[in-house]
Structure formats: structure tokens, C-alpha cells
Amino acid sequence: MIEMFDQMVRMQSGGEMGECFHSIATNQDKIRADFIKQRVGEKLLENTLTTTSLKSKITLDKIANKILNLYLKALYFLAPRNIRDEVFIRTSIGERHKWAYDSFSLHRLLRLAGFTDIQTMRYDYSRIPNFNTYLLDINADGSPYKGISSLYMEAKS
């Protein structure tokens, strides 16, 4: 339940999922940590700040998003206190989702939007040449970037 619904309704960064992850990491719960790593790709009991992982994860888009996030935080604190929570959502960029799709509903929406040749893919396969070298959906070690629970689809316009 946390994996699916928390991302749609959370109002604070991390939400219930963050609290769950923190509890598992604090208690060194290897069974639950292994399950979470497989489902969503989060490594709760491992030190992931290696030189290799940093090189594969830092992109210009992520740097731009970080700058935008800092700018939005500054605006939040400059806004009058009584309207802050009405105007600003305090989750990180890309952290909060308004909808969750399954392959049926996403396929249907893509078709209605005019896309063709719609296919469900694996995290490690794409019709885009050299896709895995971009490390978008795959880690440098070949594991899925966001775990096995993500949905991967491709379509042509």
C-alpha cells in the first residue's frame, strides 16, 4: 500500500514510505531491505555513495532540478507563513505522483494520444540504440534503477 498510494498523497518529502525506509535501515532488517531493493531499487542497508554510482547518477537534468528545488525552497521561506502550505507542495521534484498506470491503461492513453507500435518493455531492453549506456532505467551493474515494480513502455509518434 505504501509503495503505491504514498507517492500520490504525500505532502512532505519522504512521506510514510520514507519513514518505513528509515525504520528498516535503523533496525537493519535485511529481509525487508532486500524486498524493497528488489521492488523499488532503494538500497537501504548499503553505502551507495561510491565513485562509480555518483558518476552514473549525476546528470545535467539532475543538477538543474536541484537548483530549481533550492530556488523553490527560498520562495517558500519568503512567502507569508499563513499561505505557505496552500501554495507550495513540500515534496522533492519527481517524488510525488498524481496517478499510477498499469500497462492496460497506459497503452490505451498512448493510443488515444496518437501513438503507434506501443510495447511493454523490460528495464534493460529498448528499441533505442545503445539505450542502456545512458543509464536511465538501469544501474551500471545491470540491475533496474527503480526496481522491478516500474512499468516500461515505448511507442512511436
Side-chain angles (χ1 to χ4, degrees), residues 17-69:
M17 197 168 185
E19 289 178 27
C20 175
F21 286 7
H22 177 72
S23 173
I24 290 167
T26 300
N27 296 323
Q28 294 291 298
D29 187 336
K30 183 165 175 26
I31 293 171
R32 288 192 175 108
D34 288 346
F35 176 78
I36 287 169
K37 181 180 176 188
Q38 181 185 34
R39 292 290 301 168
V40 298
E42 200 68 35
K43 299 175 184 176
L44 301 179
L45 302 181
E46 299 174 23
N47 182 3
T48 59
L49 295 177
T50 63
T51 304
T52 306
S53 67
L54 284 175
K55 285 181 184 175
S56 66
K57 305 241 184 215
I58 295 175
T59 65
L60 290 177
D61 285 342
K62 288 183 181 182
I63 293 169
N65 282 340
K66 188 67 171 173
I67 292 169
L68 177 60
N69 194 26

Side-chain angles (χ1 to χ4, degrees), residues 84-104:
R84 284 180 186 167
D85 291 331
E86 295 175 30
V87 176
F88 294 93
I89 296 172
R90 298 190 62 194
T91 56
S92 297
I93 295 169
E95 181 180 8
R96 188 168 180 214
H97 301 275
K98 294 289 190 174
W99 193 256
Y101 294 96
D102 61 8
S103 59
F104 175 82

Side-chain angles (χ1 to χ4, degrees), residues 102-140:
D102 61 8
S103 59
F104 175 82
S105 61
L106 186 56
H107 186 283
R108 182 176 173 271
L109 287 172
L110 288 168
R111 186 175 38 79
L112 288 172
F115 287 92
T116 61
D117 196 14
I118 304 162
Q119 293 183 24
T120 301
M121 308 300 261
R122 289 177 37 97
Y123 73 94
D124 61 349
Y125 179 77
S126 172
R127 294 175 289 181
I128 300 168
N130 303 312
F131 179 74
N132 288 339
T133 62
Y134 302 115
L135 298 176
L136 297 173
D137 295 330
I138 191 169
N139 292 316

